[in-house]
Amino acid sequence: MKIGIFDSGFGGLTILDSLLRRLPQYDYLYLGDSARSPYGGRSLEIVHRFTREAVQWLFDEGCGLVVIACNTASALALQALRRRHPTVPILGVVRPGATAAALATRTGRIGVVATEATVQSGAYFAAIKEESPAVVVAERAASALVPLIESGELDSPRLDAAIGEVLAPLRSGPGSWSIDTLLLGCTHFPLIRAAFARCLGESVAVVDAAAAAAAGLADVVAV
């Protein structure tokens, strides 16, 4: 079986890397729409169209299963695409990430960093609440980090400053955090996980939605 992976850029390569290590026996076809990236600031209609075109191309190339690695596309377009292609498995990244975050938290206070469109969709908020209704979820739009990552700026004072600005509202006081778990809700963000960890320190667990999605797909394919 050939597995197709779609992302708005190269962030979804984090999922492909996990899958190659977990399921090396399958063929993979990766489509990164860097020409039209980022998706995070685009309208619902545009994200739907771009995602529909990408998924159809992967099917036309012989993929028997498609992973929408882009969090924005997964949050906004996954359900519509499943209705459009009811007989072919199409997997997203939101639900696996939400499940992993709900399992990781100790205090019931979870932060989510994602693109503006993903945050506005409320997809992660709803999915985490379905997993654990009592948790408190604080979401932060971090679309400004994506161009830095796409340009190869993965470790720099400017990146650290941008992350600090994004996370500042999640602080409860000097040197302390109001959350104990941060979910990276964009497939680009695992590429700068070390920078997030530097900012957060050891008291906050960093959950990678991409790794959770790869683990979930491994379970699906193994059935």
Side-chain angles (χ1 to χ4, degrees), residues 37-202:
S37 179
Y39 282 17
R42 295 186 181 273
S43 68
L44 173 64
E45 179 182 356
I46 292 297
V47 172
H48 270 242
R49 178 165 66 84
F50 288 177
T51 307
R52 185 171 62 248
E53 292 170 354
V55 169
Q56 186 61 57
W57 184 83
L58 289 169
F59 286 151
D60 291 344
E61 292 297 313
C63 295
L65 183 153
V66 169
V67 181
I68 301 179
C70 174
N71 281 264
T72 299
S74 185
L76 299 182
L78 177 61
Q79 297 308 319
L81 283 165
R82 283 176 170 170
R83 290 191 295 270
R84 187 181 181 90
H85 302 279
T87 62
V88 185
I90 304 175
L91 306 181
V93 293
V94 171
R95 176 63 63 177
T99 300
L103 290 172
T105 185
R106 305 176 307 279
T107 64
R109 302 184 69 87
I110 298 171
V112 179
V113 286
T115 64
E116 184 74 36
T118 301
V119 170
Q120 289 182 353
S121 76
Y124 271 112
F125 182 91
I128 293 171
K129 283 289 193 178
E130 287 178 12
E131 291 290 332
S132 184
V135 302
V136 175
V137 182
E139 297 183 284
R140 292 288 296 153
S143 297
L145 299 178
V146 175
L148 293 176
I149 298 168
E150 289 276 355
S151 67
E153 194 163 338
L154 306 181
D155 186 3
S156 70
R158 184 167 70 152
L159 177 65
D160 287 348
I163 290 174
E165 184 176 345
V166 167
L167 297 181
L170 302 180
R171 286 191 178 276
S172 58
S176 63
W177 298 93
S178 62
I179 60 170
D180 78 331
T181 301
L182 181 72
L183 174 60
L184 304 182
C186 174
T187 47
H188 286 70
F189 294 167
L191 297 170
I192 56 170
R193 181 171 184 161
F196 277 107
R198 277 198 304 272
C199 182
L200 292 165
E202 296 181 357

